[in-house]
Coordinates of all heavy atoms in Angstrom, one line a residue:
T1 N -6.0 18.1 -6.8 CA -5.3 19.2 -6.2 C -5.6 19.3 -4.7 O -4.8 19.6 -3.9 CB -5.8 20.6 -6.8 OG1 -5.5 20.5 -8.2 CG2 -5.2 21.8 -6.2
D2 N -6.9 18.9 -4.3 CA -7.2 18.9 -2.9 C -6.4 17.8 -2.2 O -6.0 18.1 -1.0 CB -8.7 18.5 -2.7 CG -9.7 19.6 -3.2 OD1 -9.2 20.8 -3.2 OD2 -10.8 19.3 -3.7
L3 N -6.2 16.7 -2.8 CA -5.4 15.6 -2.2 C -4.0 16.0 -1.9 O -3.4 15.5 -0.9 CB -5.4 14.4 -3.1 CG -6.7 13.6 -3.1 CD1 -6.7 12.5 -4.2 CD2 -7.0 13.0 -1.7
M4 N -3.5 17.0 -2.6 CA -2.1 17.5 -2.3 C -2.1 18.2 -1.0 O -1.0 18.3 -0.4 CB -1.6 18.4 -3.5 CG -1.4 17.7 -4.8 SD -0.9 18.8 -6.1 CE 0.7 19.2 -5.5
K5 N -3.2 18.8 -0.6 CA -3.3 19.5 0.7 C -4.0 18.8 1.8 O -4.2 19.4 2.9 CB -4.0 20.9 0.4 CG -3.4 21.7 -0.7 CD -4.3 22.9 -1.0 CE -3.7 23.7 -2.2 NZ -4.6 24.8 -2.5
A6 N -4.5 17.6 1.5 CA -5.4 16.9 2.5 C -4.7 16.7 3.8 O -3.5 16.4 3.9 CB -5.8 15.5 1.9
K7 N -5.4 16.9 4.9 CA -4.9 16.6 6.2 C -5.3 15.2 6.6 O -6.4 14.8 6.5 CB -5.4 17.7 7.2 CG -5.2 19.1 6.8 CD -3.7 19.4 6.8 CE -3.4 20.9 6.5 NZ -2.0 21.2 6.5
F8 N -4.4 14.5 7.2 CA -4.6 13.1 7.5 C -5.4 12.9 8.8 O -5.6 11.8 9.3 CB -3.3 12.3 7.6 CG -2.7 12.3 6.2 CD1 -1.3 12.7 6.1 CD2 -3.3 12.0 5.1 CE1 -0.7 12.7 4.9 CE2 -2.7 12.0 3.8 CZ -1.4 12.4 3.7
N9 N -6.0 14.0 9.4 CA -6.9 13.9 10.5 C -8.3 13.7 10.0 O -9.2 13.6 10.8 CB -6.8 15.1 11.4 CG -7.2 16.4 10.7 OD1 -7.5 16.4 9.5 ND2 -7.1 17.5 11.4
T10 N -8.5 13.6 8.7 CA -9.8 13.2 8.1 C -10.0 11.7 8.4 O -9.2 10.9 7.8 CB -9.9 13.5 6.6 OG1 -9.6 14.9 6.4 CG2 -11.2 13.1 6.1
P11 N -10.9 11.3 9.3 CA -10.9 9.9 9.7 C -11.0 8.9 8.6 O -10.2 7.9 8.6 CB -12.1 9.9 10.6 CG -12.3 11.3 11.1 CD -11.9 12.1 9.9
Y12 N -11.9 9.1 7.7 CA -12.0 8.0 6.7 C -10.9 8.0 5.7 O -10.6 7.0 5.1 CB -13.4 8.2 5.9 CG -13.6 9.5 5.2 CD1 -13.1 9.7 3.9 CD2 -14.4 10.5 5.8 CE1 -13.3 10.9 3.3 CE2 -14.6 11.7 5.1 CZ -14.1 11.9 3.9 OH -14.3 13.1 3.2
L13 N -10.2 9.1 5.5 CA -9.0 9.1 4.6 C -7.9 8.3 5.3 O -7.2 7.5 4.6 CB -8.5 10.6 4.4 CG -7.4 10.7 3.3 CD1 -7.8 10.1 2.0 CD2 -7.1 12.2 3.1
S14 N -7.7 8.5 6.5 CA -6.7 7.7 7.3 C -7.0 6.2 7.3 O -6.2 5.4 7.1 CB -6.5 8.2 8.7 OG -6.1 9.6 8.7
T15 N -8.3 6.0 7.5 CA -8.8 4.6 7.5 C -8.6 3.9 6.2 O -8.2 2.8 6.1 CB -10.3 4.5 7.9 OG1 -10.4 5.1 9.2 CG2 -10.8 3.1 8.0
Y16 N -8.9 4.7 5.1 CA -8.8 4.2 3.8 C -7.3 3.8 3.5 O -7.1 2.7 3.0 CB -9.2 5.3 2.8 CG -8.8 5.0 1.4 CD1 -9.6 4.2 0.5 CD2 -7.6 5.5 0.8 CE1 -9.2 3.9 -0.8 CE2 -7.3 5.2 -0.5 CZ -8.1 4.4 -1.3 OH -7.7 4.1 -2.6
R17 N -6.4 4.6 3.9 CA -5.0 4.3 3.6 C -4.5 3.1 4.3 O -3.8 2.3 3.7 CB -4.1 5.5 3.9 CG -4.4 6.8 3.1 CD -3.4 7.9 3.4 NE -2.2 7.6 2.8 CZ -1.0 7.9 3.3 NH1 -0.9 8.4 4.5 NH2 0.1 7.6 2.7
R18 N -5.0 2.9 5.5 CA -4.6 1.7 6.3 C -5.2 0.5 5.7 O -4.5 -0.6 5.5 CB -5.0 1.9 7.8 CG -4.5 0.7 8.7 CD -4.8 1.0 10.1 NE -6.3 0.9 10.3 CZ -7.0 -0.2 10.4 NH1 -6.3 -1.4 10.3 NH2 -8.3 -0.2 10.6
L19 N -6.5 0.5 5.4 CA -7.1 -0.7 4.8 C -6.6 -1.0 3.5 O -6.4 -2.2 3.1 CB -8.7 -0.4 4.7 CG -9.4 -0.3 6.0 CD1 -10.9 0.0 5.8 CD2 -9.3 -1.6 6.9
L20 N -6.3 0.0 2.7 CA -5.7 -0.2 1.4 C -4.3 -0.9 1.5 O -4.0 -1.9 0.8 CB -5.5 1.1 0.6 CG -4.9 1.0 -0.8 CD1 -5.8 0.1 -1.7 CD2 -4.7 2.4 -1.4
G21 N -3.5 -0.5 2.5 CA -2.2 -1.1 2.8 C -2.4 -2.6 3.1 O -1.6 -3.4 2.7
I22 N -3.4 -2.9 3.9 CA -3.6 -4.3 4.3 C -4.0 -5.1 3.1 O -3.5 -6.2 2.9 CB -4.7 -4.3 5.4 CG1 -4.2 -3.7 6.7 CG2 -5.1 -5.8 5.6 CD1 -5.2 -3.5 7.8
E23 N -4.8 -4.6 2.3 CA -5.2 -5.3 1.1 C -4.0 -5.5 0.1 O -3.9 -6.6 -0.5 CB -6.3 -4.6 0.3 CG -7.7 -4.5 1.1 CD -8.3 -5.8 1.3 OE1 -8.0 -6.8 0.6 OE2 -9.2 -5.9 2.2
K24 N -3.2 -4.5 0.0 CA -2.0 -4.6 -0.9 C -1.0 -5.6 -0.3 O -0.3 -6.2 -1.1 CB -1.4 -3.2 -1.1 CG -2.3 -2.3 -1.9 CD -1.7 -0.9 -1.9 CE -0.4 -0.8 -2.6 NZ 0.1 0.6 -2.6
A25 N -0.9 -5.7 1.0 CA 0.1 -6.5 1.6 C 0.0 -8.0 1.2 O 1.0 -8.6 0.9 CB 0.1 -6.4 3.2
S26 N -1.2 -8.5 1.2 CA -1.3 -9.9 0.8 C -0.9 -10.2 -0.6 O -0.3 -11.2 -0.9 CB -2.8 -10.4 1.1 OG -3.7 -9.6 0.3
L27 N -1.2 -9.2 -1.5 CA -0.8 -9.4 -2.9 C 0.7 -9.1 -3.0 O 1.4 -9.8 -3.8 CB -1.6 -8.4 -3.7 CG -3.1 -8.7 -3.8 CD1 -3.8 -7.5 -4.5 CD2 -3.4 -10.0 -4.4
A28 N 1.2 -8.2 -2.2 CA 2.7 -7.9 -2.3 C 3.5 -9.1 -1.8 O 4.6 -9.4 -2.4 CB 3.0 -6.7 -1.4
I29 N 3.0 -9.8 -0.8 CA 3.7 -11.0 -0.3 C 4.0 -12.0 -1.5 O 5.1 -12.5 -1.7 CB 2.9 -11.7 0.8 CG1 3.0 -10.8 2.0 CG2 3.5 -13.1 1.1 CD1 2.0 -11.2 3.1
E30 N 3.0 -12.3 -2.3 CA 3.1 -13.2 -3.4 C 4.1 -12.6 -4.4 O 4.9 -13.4 -5.0 CB 1.8 -13.5 -4.0 CG 0.8 -14.3 -3.1 CD 1.5 -15.6 -2.6 OE1 2.0 -16.3 -3.5 OE2 1.5 -15.8 -1.4
Y31 N 4.0 -11.3 -4.7 CA 4.9 -10.7 -5.7 C 6.3 -10.8 -5.2 O 7.2 -11.2 -6.0 CB 4.5 -9.2 -5.8 CG 5.3 -8.5 -6.9 CD1 5.0 -8.6 -8.2 CD2 6.5 -7.8 -6.5 CE1 5.7 -7.9 -9.2 CE2 7.2 -7.2 -7.5 CZ 6.9 -7.2 -8.8 OH 7.6 -6.6 -9.8
V32 N 6.6 -10.5 -4.0 CA 8.0 -10.6 -3.5 C 8.5 -12.0 -3.4 O 9.6 -12.3 -3.7 CB 8.1 -9.9 -2.1 CG1 9.5 -10.0 -1.5 CG2 7.7 -8.4 -2.2
K33 N 7.6 -12.9 -3.0 CA 8.0 -14.3 -3.0 C 8.5 -14.8 -4.4 O 9.5 -15.4 -4.5 CB 6.8 -15.2 -2.5 CG 6.6 -15.3 -1.0 CD 5.4 -16.3 -0.8 CE 5.2 -16.4 0.7 NZ 4.0 -17.3 1.0
N34 N 7.7 -14.5 -5.4 CA 8.1 -14.8 -6.7 C 9.4 -14.2 -7.2 O 10.2 -14.8 -7.8 CB 7.0 -14.5 -7.7 CG 5.7 -15.3 -7.5 OD1 5.8 -16.4 -7.0 ND2 4.6 -14.8 -7.9
L35 N 9.6 -12.9 -6.8 CA 10.8 -12.2 -7.1 C 12.0 -12.9 -6.5 O 13.0 -13.1 -7.2 CB 10.7 -10.8 -6.7 CG 11.8 -9.8 -7.1 CD1 11.9 -9.7 -8.6 CD2 11.6 -8.4 -6.5
L36 N 11.9 -13.2 -5.2 CA 13.0 -13.9 -4.5 C 13.3 -15.3 -5.0 O 14.4 -15.8 -5.0 CB 12.8 -13.8 -3.0 CG 12.8 -12.4 -2.4 CD1 12.2 -12.5 -1.0 CD2 14.3 -11.9 -2.3
T37 N 12.2 -16.0 -5.4 CA 12.3 -17.4 -5.8 C 12.8 -17.5 -7.2 O 13.7 -18.4 -7.5 CB 11.0 -18.1 -5.7 OG1 10.5 -18.0 -4.3 CG2 11.1 -19.6 -6.1
D38 N 12.4 -16.6 -8.1 CA 12.7 -16.7 -9.5 C 14.0 -16.0 -9.9 O 14.4 -16.2 -11.0 CB 11.5 -16.2 -10.4 CG 10.2 -17.0 -10.1 OD1 10.3 -18.1 -9.7 OD2 9.1 -16.4 -10.4
T39 N 14.5 -15.2 -9.1 CA 15.7 -14.4 -9.4 C 16.7 -14.5 -8.2 O 16.4 -15.1 -7.2 CB 15.4 -12.9 -9.6 OG1 15.1 -12.3 -8.4 CG2 14.2 -12.8 -10.6
D40 N 17.9 -14.0 -8.4 CA 18.9 -13.9 -7.4 C 19.0 -12.5 -6.8 O 19.9 -12.1 -6.2 CB 20.2 -14.4 -7.8 CG 20.8 -13.6 -9.0 OD1 20.0 -12.7 -9.5 OD2 21.9 -13.9 -9.4
E41 N 17.9 -11.6 -7.1 CA 17.9 -10.2 -6.7 C 17.8 -10.1 -5.2 O 17.3 -11.0 -4.5 CB 16.7 -9.5 -7.3 CG 16.7 -9.5 -8.8 CD 17.5 -8.5 -9.4 OE1 18.2 -7.7 -8.7 OE2 17.5 -8.4 -10.7
N42 N 18.4 -9.0 -4.6 CA 18.2 -8.6 -3.2 C 17.2 -7.5 -3.2 O 17.2 -6.6 -4.0 CB 19.6 -8.2 -2.7 CG 20.6 -9.3 -2.6 OD1 20.5 -10.2 -1.8 ND2 21.6 -9.2 -3.5

């Protein structure tokens, strides 16, 4: 419930979201590569 109202000026919350995005990006790259290689999807 608190997270629904959280303000993103909380430094570590903003830092967390950015770092999490970076960690997810490397895994997302492989996922998207496989999707584009193995299918004809756009």
Side-chain angles (χ1 to χ4, degrees):
T1 301
D2 293 332
L3 284 170
M4 293 177 70
K5 305 175 184 177
K7 304 295 184 183
F8 297 128
N9 58 2
T10 305
Y12 59 83
L13 185 56
S14 299
T15 301
Y16 168 84
R17 297 187 74 216
R18 186 178 65 81
L19 292 177
L20 179 63
I22 291 172
E23 295 295 341
K24 289 170 66 177
S26 58
L27 299 172
I29 289 167
E30 293 305 311
Y31 182 86
V32 176
K33 278 183 179 178
N34 292 336
L35 184 62
L36 290 167
T37 301
D38 298 341
T39 74
D40 59 357
E41 302 275 2
N42 297 286

